[in-house]
Amino acid sequence: MFDSDDWKLAIEDTRFRQNAIVALIHSSNNQALGLLRLFSVIALATATGAVTSLAAGEFSPAVGWELASLTLVLVWSSWQCFRALEVGDIDLPGRDAEFWLRAADAGDDRPAFSRHYLEGFRERYRTNRRVSERQARALRRAKLGGIIAPLIGIAVGLILAFFQINYA
């Protein structure tokens, strides 16, 4: 059975973990926003280049399709960033006034109050963990898209250039 100091330690440790996961969610939001800005600007530039090169006809069509494929991958990566930024029900650290009023009414039953406090924290932590894991999956996909976008663009360009040479 926990004594008074053990309950204090358990509650403090739980608060520390809750603060850490909220900080991780905040950091993931900032990362997703930065990637979204980068991918959006590059996708806009590649889309402009694709339309210009395909419409003008001055370049090989392979260049236009290469840029178009690059644009599509970057748009998909931007969408993953939006998914990471999706609003989720996170529980912020701290308790509302109602909780503390109930605690004051609990009197000398500190162990029961501390246990109730930690049981509530467990659910709050699980909620934040789900949000954090969803963000991490979306960010991982966005980063993967950013990495493979140039490779897909180059592959499309090479394949189209190869077939164009064979038909000429």
Side-chain angles (χ1 to χ4, degrees), residues 14 18 34-35 51 56-57 68 74-76 79 90 113 127 134 147 149 157:
T14 306
Q18 180 77 345
L35 287 173
V51 169
L74 288 170
V75 166
W76 178 81
W79 174 250
I90 66 167
F113 165 73
T127 299
R134 178 185 50 78
I147 292 168

Side-chain angles (χ1 to χ4, degrees), residues 35-161:
L35 287 173
L36 178 62
R37 288 181 191 137
L38 176 68
F39 293 156
S40 298
V41 168
I42 296 172
L44 182 61
T46 57
T48 302
V51 169
T52 303
S53 66
L54 289 172
E58 293 184 24
F59 299 104
S60 166
V63 172
W65 290 112
E66 179 180 0
L67 289 171
S69 66
L70 184 62
T71 302
L72 289 176
V73 176
L74 288 170
V75 166
W76 178 81
S77 296
S78 295
W79 174 250
Q80 296 303 314
C81 290
F82 272 117
R83 289 186 61 219
L85 289 168
E86 186 178 303
V87 176
D89 287 335
I90 66 167
D91 284 306
L92 299 174
R95 293 295 186 161
D96 58 9
E98 180 181 323
F99 177 83
W100 293 112
L101 288 171
R102 276 189 282 133
D105 293 340
D108 290 334
D109 196 10
R110 185 177 184 121
F113 165 73
S114 297
R115 183 170 186 79
H116 177 69
Y117 184 87
L118 289 173
E119 285 171 353
F121 234 93
R122 179 177 49 198
E123 285 307 310
R124 295 172 65 198
Y125 176 77
R126 286 179 182 162
T127 299
N128 287 351
R129 182 74 186 238
R130 282 191 295 272
V131 170
S132 178
E133 288 171 353
R134 178 185 50 78
Q135 274 187 323
R137 278 191 304 275
L139 268 175
R140 191 171 37 252
R141 290 177 185 140
K143 290 174 184 177
L144 179 65
I147 292 168
I148 66 169
L151 301 175
I152 290 176
I154 290 169
V156 167
L158 288 174
I159 291 168
L160 290 175

